[in-house]
Amino acid sequence: MENDPVWEQLRQDAEQAASKERALASLFEEVVLTQDSLESALAVRLSRKLAYHATPEGYLKEVFCECFRDNPQIGERIRADITAIKERDPACRNYLAPLLYFKGFQAITCYRVAHELWNNGREELALYLQSLISEVFAVDIHPAARIGCGILLDHATSFVAGETSVIENHVSILHEVTLGGTGKTAGDRHPKVRHSVLIGAGAKLLGNIEIGHCARIGAGSVVVEDVPPHATVVGVPAVVTGFSKDPDPAQSMDQCIKH
């Protein structure tokens, strides 16, 4: 991709990091400085993390590269994700950290490859990749789930999204969040999260419900009914406690409960 400011900045970050920490210089060199794009860097980093004896690193790397090459939109979504992390997470000081260390970004990038495989009829490989993502990152996203871009999956441990889940663009989600069903009935059975929503740690969203745009879901809440746009809900079961004037909760990351 020509004129790629994210990749250019990431390379600068890697060069600076290599000069500061010689013990990791070979890592920065292998993953970033010898690569020609963000996509190739991710293919190197993620294939090594996911490689098992049944699926060698080289094979997984080729799968990633093939998906990135065949669908450039994946790269666009990845750049929106890493930019969202940089903007919303105060612990993220540069673009290098998500690429190398943040398992939320790594897991959702792997999901994007699994989703591409699923959509192209390679369901077995997509499900196998899902299982590797779950084992390595403790994040379980069904490859058929539909997830937009500009997603911050913060910390990410124990995040679950079921098969018919939908997450629109520009959403922030903390750890231990579940987008699940309520029984064994097949069909459309998982939550639909609209744009600019903020979901607090440990929240459980269950059933084919709609979380309206710019809503805020309090930490530890159990949500089993639709949530109106701009509403704040908390509790078990969750109830509306008010309507926020915040035009973009996903961006502000303000989790204080205000009436």
Side-chain angles (χ1 to χ4, degrees), residues 16-82:
Q16 293 175 6
S19 66
K20 290 180 181 177
E21 183 53 77
R22 302 307 302 171
L24 295 177
S26 61
L27 173 65
F28 305 139
E29 185 77 15
E30 176 189 22
V31 176
V32 179
L33 298 176
T34 59
Q35 305 305 319
D36 59 8
S37 68
L38 176 57
E39 286 84 350
S40 62
L42 283 164
V44 169
R45 182 62 171 162
L46 297 177
S47 62
R48 176 157 297 184
K49 276 185 166 287
L50 295 179
Y52 274 57
H53 67 279
T55 48
E57 179 183 336
Y59 175 73
L60 286 176
K61 180 181 175 183
E62 181 54 36
V63 168
F64 275 80
C65 289
E66 178 183 342
C67 289
F68 292 150
R69 182 173 59 249
D70 292 347
N71 186 357
Q73 188 180 66
I74 299 175
E76 295 172 6
R77 291 174 178 264
I78 288 169
R79 285 165 177 80
D81 293 338
I82 200 170

Side-chain angles (χ1 to χ4, degrees), residues 69 84 90 115 135 213:
R69 182 173 59 249
H115 184 66
E135 291 177 33
H213 64 269

Side-chain angles (χ1 to χ4, degrees), residues 1-9 36 79:
M1 179 181 292
E2 296 182 1
N3 300 319
D4 184 355
V6 170
W7 176 241
E8 291 173 6
Q9 184 59 55
D36 59 8
R79 285 165 177 80

Side-chain angles (χ1 to χ4, degrees), residues 94-115:
N94 55 38
Y95 290 123
L96 184 64
L99 170 66
L100 293 180
Y101 314 128
F102 287 13
K103 68 178 184 178
F105 173 69
Q106 294 172 346
I108 202 167
T109 299
C110 292
Y111 147 78
R112 297 196 185 285
V113 172
H115 184 66

Side-chain angles (χ1 to χ4, degrees), residues 204-231:
K204 313 302 176 188
L205 286 56
L206 304 176
N208 186 14
I209 58 176
E210 178 155 335
I211 312 302
H213 64 269
C214 300
R216 298 191 304 162
I217 312 299
S221 298
V222 177
V223 186
V224 293
E225 296 181 349
D226 292 348
V227 176
H230 296 280

